[in-house]
Amino acid sequence: MTSIDDVMIEITPQVLLKAYACGIFPMAESADDNALYWIEPERRGILPLDHVHVPKSLARTIRRGGFDVKIDNDFEGVIEGCAAPRAGRRSTWINGRIRSLYRELFALGHCHTVEVWQEDELIGGLYGVHLGRAFFGESMFSTARDASKIALVYLVARLKYGGFTLLDTQFVTGHLARFGAIEVSRQTFQRLLEESLGTSQGSTPSSGSASAAGGGAGAASAGGGAGAGAGSGSASAASGTSPEGAFAALSEGVPPIGVLQLVSQTSNTGCSTA
């Protein structure tokens, strides 16, 4: 673990994106410590998009609705929720520099939020970074039962719809393991990362298009309405839609069953929808 300050690098959004492309991400010791450290775990957590499991009770909650899921609608609310103290944890690693850097990435279209709303109140969500066909999950929060889990399911559906191939969770927690998250070696992660960035044959990394990625801050309502069905993900990927543009391109009003079908699509373990 190397301090960013120790190596005298001026950390910018561009430097941060290059670090992600190398499999490295920054963290702080605490919210009160302004120093940042480069992290490259020996064992890396990932959630294989073709092996996602949605618990039956959560699938029932999603089908029941009563919430709205919005994309890139309230970055400040999400990062504030992720940094807030909670039971068993007085503070997090999200310090002022982290907030500032990811705020800039959000403005550039490389950072995204998935937000769960209920009666105009933000009750949970997550944020992360995308490059090429990879999404790097950073943090999630919940102030109501299952809200962060709902956000994760909607994230997976969106990634599968857009043809993404890698969902990096950094580490594996009990929460993520229930969805099928696993640990892989650093070497395996690097191979998966190179494939998702299109660099496995020495080509230039795809850092994404800010205009395309930031262009659709739509909402996927948990209510009814015509939306993408299980086949939409394949159609999107087959049509050559870039993952940067497709992240926010999932149609508004996708009903919960459509989201669950997208998550279970091509999954070997399947999504529990019974």
Side-chain angles (χ1 to χ4, degrees), residues 3 8 12 33 38 43 69 77 123 148 220 223 230 232 249 274:
S3 169
M8 302 297 289
T12 65
D33 183 356
W38 293 125
R43 303 290 296 176
V69 175
I123 61 171
S148 63
S232 298

Side-chain angles (χ1 to χ4, degrees), residues 53-88:
H53 170 74
V54 181
K56 291 182 179 180
S57 60
L58 179 60
R60 286 194 294 268
T61 297
I62 292 174
R63 278 201 302 269
R64 219 168 24 240
F67 57 85
D68 291 314
V69 175
K70 301 179 182 180
I71 306 299
D72 295 346
N73 178 76
D74 187 359
F75 170 81
E76 297 297 337
V78 170
I79 201 163
E80 182 67 32
C82 290
R86 64 190 70 171

Side-chain angles (χ1 to χ4, degrees), residues 75-143:
F75 170 81
E76 297 297 337
V78 170
I79 201 163
E80 182 67 32
C82 290
R86 64 190 70 171
R89 189 187 73 183
R90 292 189 296 176
S91 65
T92 72
W93 52 270
I94 300 176
N95 63 12
R97 292 179 74 185
I98 290 287
R99 291 179 188 238
S100 178
L101 279 168
Y102 287 85
R103 184 180 297 115
E104 291 183 73
L105 284 183
F106 182 76
L108 291 171
H110 280 291
C111 180
H112 295 284
T113 61
V114 180
E115 309 153 17
V116 182
W117 293 77
Q118 191 171 57
E119 296 180 355
D120 298 323
E121 178 185 358
L122 179 63
I123 61 171
L126 59 83
Y127 77 95
V129 173
H130 89 257
L131 279 174
R133 295 181 183 274
F135 189 90
F136 306 87
E138 282 295 319
S139 188
M140 61 176 62
F141 83 99
S142 180
T143 60

